[in-house]
Amino acid sequence: QVRLVESGGGLVQAGGSLRLSCAASRRTFSGNAMGWFRQAPGKEREFVAAISWSGDSTFHTDSVKGRFTISKDNAKSTVYLQMNRLGHRDTAVYYCAARDGKSWRGIYGYWGRGTQITVSS
């Protein structure tokens, strides 16, 4: 069974930092690429960052480049999203996702429940 559990969300002041974690079942983590998506109120879900199974290839959407960093710890079956210099535009529900395949490119079929991040003034 595929299980993804996000943690680390919450309320943060503009300019601050947060680190999201996504704990995956070992079966999910083995051989799967992982990603982070977000959805702000009234907007479509946005692809934020992703990492290949090996960790040697990553993707960050333009709006977070230089501020967010995706990484993974295979020993802990956990993917992280380090978020720095947060702004109001980053307020959203953040979802961890996994896909069948080692490349981060492609359709993601497994999803966590999401964790809310709210950036305040």
Side-chain angles (χ1 to χ4, degrees), residues 4-60:
L4 301 172
V5 180
E6 304 99 334
S7 62
L11 179 66
V12 62
Q13 287 192 327
S17 299
L18 281 176
R19 187 177 78 161
L20 298 182
S21 299
C22 173
S25 59
R26 182 156 297 277
R27 178 179 177 279
T28 304
F29 215 72
S30 300
N32 293 80
M34 306 289 292
W36 287 97
F37 292 72
R38 67 185 179 185
Q39 188 166 20
K43 295 188 176 181
E44 294 186 354
R45 188 170 293 184
E46 177 186 21
F47 189 21
V48 177
I51 189 165
S52 64
W53 168 74
S54 65
D56 63 356
S57 178
T58 61
F59 162 82
H60 297 83

